Amino acid sequence: MTGSRKLLIFGGMALAAFGMLYGLQYALFIEHQTLDHMGGSLAQSFSAAASRNLGQSQAALDQYGETKYDYVRQVDAHSHWIGLAMLMMVLGVIFERVNFSEGIRQMVAFSLLGGSTLFPLAVILQTYHHGALVLKVLAAVGSGLVIAALAATAWGFARPRTVA
């Protein structure tokens, strides 16, 4: 088994396990309180609007928006970790058919693992530092690594086999 194949399969398994454990701890300890907060903010906003208190209604809607921002990123990040990990494991099974040298396949595999780890991590960190430019850049770099690695993999599959 080549190094690139091991990196994809075992890196994918580790990333999937991490994503599942992260999702489990979020579901057990945080998600229900977050959903209650979102529902409470909406109820408070509608109640304030019915009382013609538009300032309070808008403040409650703003609170809902903040909570929803965090919730969506938490759920998306752990599901991206798991989905990208599954893709890595599937690719790992057939990665030796990518028509590149092992060194290039290792670089592609490392880029896929690095991007698949960095992208969701940067998205989660954005919930703690809203609007932080460095985290937006890290998320873009992570997703760019994944896109580049997948494009290189597709190119490697499409290249004609060379006879040794």
Side-chain angles (χ1 to χ4, degrees):
M1 183 182 294
T2 62
S4 60
R5 189 175 187 187
K6 286 179 188 177
L7 183 62
L8 286 174
I9 292 173
F10 293 115
M13 288 181 0
L15 196 58
F18 180 78
M20 288 181 215
L21 289 172
Y22 185 85
L24 178 65
Q25 73 82 27
Y26 184 78
L28 291 176
F29 302 113
I30 301 169
E31 185 173 31
H32 296 290
Q33 295 85 348
T34 302
L35 292 173
D36 284 344
H37 194 265
M38 285 169 48
S41 295
L42 281 177
Q44 183 180 6
S45 175
F46 295 153
S47 176
S51 302
R52 299 189 193 280
N53 187 343
L54 297 182
Q56 187 179 10
S57 176
Q58 184 61 48
L61 275 178
D62 290 344
Q63 187 61 43
Y64 168 80
E66 292 274 326
T67 306
K68 180 74 173 179
Y69 177 92
D70 292 348
Y71 176 73
V72 167
R73 275 152 186 76
Q74 294 286 341
V75 172
D76 284 353
H78 97 86
S79 63
H80 276 80
W81 267 322
I82 296 167
L84 289 167
M86 296 297 135
L87 179 62
M88 288 172 53
M89 288 186 283
V90 168
L91 285 176
V93 171
I94 58 173
F95 208 61
E96 290 167 351
R97 294 184 179 198
V98 174
N99 194 18
F100 290 126
S101 68
E102 177 57 19
I104 293 177
R105 283 196 308 254
Q106 284 183 354
M107 187 174 67
V108 170
F110 183 74
S111 296
L112 188 54
L113 177 60
S116 296
T117 304
L118 180 62
F119 167 57
L121 179 62
V123 169
I124 285 178
L125 292 176
Q126 288 177 29
T127 64
Y128 300 106
H129 305 286
H130 290 217
L133 181 62
V134 69
L135 295 176
K136 290 179 181 181
V137 169
L138 285 175
V141 167
S143 63
L145 282 171
V146 170
I147 291 167
L150 291 176
T153 301
W155 182 33
F157 279 127
R159 286 181 65 192
R161 285 274 184 214
T162 55
V163 178

